[in-house]
Structure formats: C-alpha cells, structure tokens
Amino acid sequence: MPTIHYTDHEGTTLDINANQGDSVMETAVRNGVPGIVAECGGSLSCATCHVFVREEDAESLPEMSEMEDEMLYGTTVDREDCSRLSCQIKVTEDMDLHVTTPETQV
C-alpha cells in the first residue's frame, strides 16, 4: 500500500496509508494532517498545500507543470529546490514518499 510520511516543521512525522490515484494533498486533508491548508481544494489556484519533498524522493516524481512552477512563487514560506504543491502529486501504487510542511501556509 502506498505510504506518505508527513513531517511538520518541528520534526513530528505522521505516516499515512494512501489511496492510489488520490493526491498527496487529498490524503493529508482526509487524515487531518496539520500544515496542509488546501484552500482551493486542489484546483491549482493557491499555494496552501506547499510541501518540501525529500531530495531522493523528488527524483521519482513526474516533473512539475509550468502552472505549478508559477504557483510556487506565491508561497508564504519561500520555495526551495525541493518544493512542490501536494495537490499536484498523485499517489502511485508503490509510493513511499516523504514530505515536510513549511512553518505556515498563510
């Protein structure tokens, strides 16, 4: 089963079993993961589901779209090389993904 490991900015980690085909953001919201606001519900019109993907995990993800890249310039906490919008990361069958939420989303 796919697993997403959500670590908050203080270092606390929640390991959540995810459903294939859902987004990392949907999985977080459904399971009450703190640090994912998801104001737009995944329609790629805000940046409140910003996460930092662990470097070794980032290589296995599809490249971000131009629109996601643009939205990441609007994050409250400055984007980094490993920044992604969790609404744009689809859970795959064997996913074992580690993400960290920024200190704030708004």
Side-chain angles (χ1 to χ4, degrees):
M1 174 166 258
T3 304
I4 313 299
H5 310 274
Y6 299 90
T7 303
D8 67 19
H9 71 280
E10 294 178 345
T12 303
T13 300
L14 291 172
D15 302 321
I16 307 290
N17 291 329
N19 296 320
Q20 183 178 347
D22 286 351
S23 71
V24 172
M25 179 275 298
E26 290 169 322
T27 302
V29 170
R30 186 179 313 104
N31 290 281
V33 174
I36 303 285
V37 176
E39 284 182 350
C40 74
S43 63
L44 195 55
S45 61
C46 74
T48 60
C49 67
H50 177 211
V51 293
F52 304 108
V53 176
R54 188 171 71 175
E55 187 176 336
E56 53 268 29
D57 291 349
E59 298 169 1
S60 67
L61 298 177
E63 289 194 33
M64 75 175 71
S65 69
E66 187 176 318
M67 184 64 147
E68 179 182 359
D69 188 41
E70 290 295 320
M71 291 301 302
L72 282 166
Y73 286 107
T75 58
T76 301
V77 173
D78 290 339
R79 77 181 283 175
E80 297 178 5
D81 290 341
C82 60
S83 288
R84 293 295 300 261
L85 296 180
S86 60
C87 69
Q88 298 301 299
I89 304 172
K90 293 294 182 189
V91 175
T92 59
E93 183 178 355
D94 297 323
M95 185 173 268
D96 187 40
L97 182 68
H98 296 79
V99 299
T100 301
T101 56
E103 185 174 354
T104 186
Q105 297 280 9
V106 291

